[in-house]
Amino acid sequence: MTVDAGRILTTHVGSLPRPADLLQLYRDAAPAARLEPRLASAIAEVVRQQQDLGIDIVNDGEYGKPMSGEVDYGAWAFYVYDRLSGFEMRPLGGEVDLLKTILGTSRDRKDFTAFYETPEADVGSAAHPNAFPINVGPIRYTGQALIQRDIRNLKAALAGRRVADAFMTAIVTGVNILPGEYYKDTEQQGVAIAEAMREEYRAIVDAGFTVQLDDPLLVNQYEMYYSLSGDMAAYRRWAEQHIELVNHAIAGLPADRVRYHVCWGSWKGPHSSDLALASVLDLVLKVNAGQYSVEAANPQHEHEWKVWEGVKLGPGQCVVPGVVTHKTNILEHAEVVADRILRYAKAVGREHVIASTDCGMGGRIHPSIAWAKLRVLSEGAALATKTLWGRSAA
């Protein structure tokens, strides 16, 4: 896609609030004959709603990824275990702290132990109670019918509508957080996932959409395994191998159809030991992508527009900063949103900025607030356009 549209384009990271009846169908494990007609109509509705709110680059809301509760922090990743062979969902037994299972003994958890023992630190684990995917056999992609269903639904929803572009999200390799039983180690398991997921990425691009690779692992690996020691050299060795694997997974795809999304996790905690973007930006930019999506409204990362100063993006390349966030219920003012956009435009050039959200809004924030944040995102982009081009958005 071309990004020099003469104005600031708007998008979001993917997940949007699901209708109550669609959630109920997923809760009921409804058969395809009941689920799929409503899924198709819900995607048509969410595409229309995005356009009505002024979103230029739209998606299917990730509605094809099962989510059975209004709060669900894992649908973006758990969906894939219906599309890969070799995994078995197993209860871990006892009362499992989902966040501790994911983050282990991170510095943030150590420094704020009292907070993490409160209900406020819950990450909506009820959708997947005490059950995690364990690799028990060879990993192959088996989701051909499901990804084609999602593609078909989005294409139907876009019929007759004029949008700047459309995208679909997919997990990046290595999202599994527990060791398996089949491969020698998690590295081999990650390679197998990369090989399998290539098929989903290719299907999305071949359908004419941009594929967004969701990769919180790149920065959260530091939080999980290195934040206590601060061993940046060891982390960087891992991260370099990870980026090589990401590029292997998208080899052959046109860069201008790839968006690479990095985020620091959606739990509402202090995030005091988040990895600084400056420590990994050079590796992010090695991903063969046309768009780089980062958190920019999250208070731990809002200042990081500065690290983009001096970065030379190529023709058609964009930074996609989140200028509204899911980490607070406070609704940003349109001028705050515009100011955030203007900082990025000053750093990399107005033609290299697409305004977005920090992360997915569905399952993380009340629906009424999520939709309001998308509207203010569009209002802020219009204000920024007026400043940058000296006129209102077309």
Side-chain angles (χ1 to χ4, degrees):
M1 63 167 290
T2 178
V3 294
D4 191 0
R7 61 188 174 91
I8 295 295
L9 295 177
T10 56
T11 190
H12 58 93
V13 168
S15 182
L16 294 173
R18 275 67 159 177
D21 60 340
L22 183 61
L23 288 174
Q24 189 61 52
L25 287 168
Y26 279 128
R27 274 194 293 269
D28 295 342
R34 287 180 56 211
L35 171 67
E36 295 197 0
R38 178 56 184 134
L39 178 60
S41 65
I43 290 172
E45 291 164 9
V46 80
V47 167
R48 182 181 67 247
Q49 193 162 4
Q50 290 169 77
Q51 197 171 33
D52 289 347
L53 291 171
I55 301 302
D56 298 301
I57 303 170
V58 304
N59 82 329
D60 61 355
E62 296 188 4
Y63 284 10
K65 296 174 170 61
M67 191 174 90
S68 57
E70 289 186 2
V71 178
D72 188 335
Y73 284 67
W76 67 274
F78 273 84
Y79 86 95
V80 82
Y81 299 110
D82 289 333
R83 304 184 185 195
L84 294 176
S85 68
F87 285 93
E88 182 178 287
M89 297 298 291
R90 290 183 185 172
L92 297 184
E95 292 297 322
V96 176
D97 181 335
L98 179 57
L99 199 57
K100 186 174 182 180
T101 301
I102 297 172
L103 294 184
T105 53
S106 71
R107 184 162 64 84
D108 195 57
R109 286 188 61 90
K110 180 175 181 292
D111 291 348
F112 294 94
T113 300
F115 166 78
Y116 281 108
E117 291 174 348
T118 69
E120 191 177 353
D122 179 63
V123 295
S125 57
H128 307 288
N130 298 345
F132 287 86
I134 304 297
N135 175 231
V136 296
I139 297 171
R140 302 285 187 272
Y141 190 74
T142 59
Q144 292 86 357
L146 289 173
I147 189 61
Q148 289 303 323
R149 176 203 67 185
D150 293 345
I151 289 168
R152 185 169 61 251
N153 284 338
L154 183 53
K155 282 188 172 183
L158 291 168
R161 296 190 174 276
R162 295 185 62 184
V163 297
D165 196 17
F167 71 100
M168 296 181 70
T169 63
I171 63 160
V172 81
T173 178
V175 297
N176 50 293
I177 58 175
L178 295 177
E181 300 173 353
Y182 182 80
Y183 293 94
K184 175 183 176 183
D185 50 36
T186 55
E187 286 75 19
Q188 285 190 2
Q189 189 172 320
V191 171
I193 295 175
E195 291 290 346
M197 290 305 295
R198 287 165 65 95
E199 188 166 348
E200 182 159 294
Y201 306 155
R202 170 59 69 181
I204 292 170
V205 171
D206 285 350
F209 302 134
T210 291
V211 59
Q212 176 182 295
L213 304 178
D214 290 328
D215 189 7
L217 193 67
L218 177 67
V219 290
N220 284 327
Q221 187 83 353
Y222 176 83
E223 171 74 17
M224 292 185 285
Y225 298 109
Y226 300 97
S227 61
L228 278 175
S229 69
D231 190 343
M232 187 59 68
Y235 163 75
R236 289 275 303 189
R237 286 193 293 272
W238 172 87
E240 288 167 0
Q241 294 176 345
H242 179 72
I243 293 298
E244 288 180 5
L245 193 55
V246 171
N247 277 329
H248 174 71
I250 59 175
L253 298 183
D256 65 349
R257 305 312 300 181
V258 177
R259 180 195 292 178
Y260 183 57
H261 171 63
V262 176
C263 70
W264 282 261
S266 293
W267 74 93
K268 293 178 175 64
H271 286 263
S272 62
S273 52
D274 278 7
L275 179 71
L277 180 60
S279 299
V280 75
L281 181 60
D282 62 318
L283 296 181
V284 169
L285 293 173
K286 285 184 178 180
V287 174
N288 187 34
Q291 301 173 24
Y292 301 98
S293 167
V294 296
E295 295 190 40
N298 170 353
Q300 274 288 338
H301 299 280
E302 184 172 0
H303 65 288
E304 291 181 329
W305 63 271
K306 299 171 188 175
V307 307
W308 292 90
E309 292 181 316
V311 171
K312 300 298 183 184
L313 295 173
Q317 282 192 315
C318 277
V319 58
V320 187
V323 291
V324 295
T325 188
H326 59 300
K327 285 193 168 72
T328 174
N329 290 324
I330 296 173
L331 181 62
E332 293 86 349
H333 193 283
E335 291 193 18
V336 171
V337 173
D339 286 347
R340 289 169 176 163
I341 294 169
L342 292 172
R343 293 183 194 119
Y344 276 84
K346 180 180 179 182
V348 299
R350 65 188 186 183
E351 71 277 15
H352 295 292
V353 178
I354 297 172
S356 186
T357 61
D358 270 348
C359 198
M361 294 291 186
R364 283 85 179 274
I365 197 167
H366 191 274
S368 64
I369 299 174
W371 297 124
K373 282 177 179 271
L374 289 187
R375 182 176 296 281
V376 81
L377 164 62
S378 299
E379 293 170 352
L383 291 176
T385 291
K386 188 173 182 179
T387 297
L388 292 167
W389 277 270
R391 57 175 173 77
S392 298

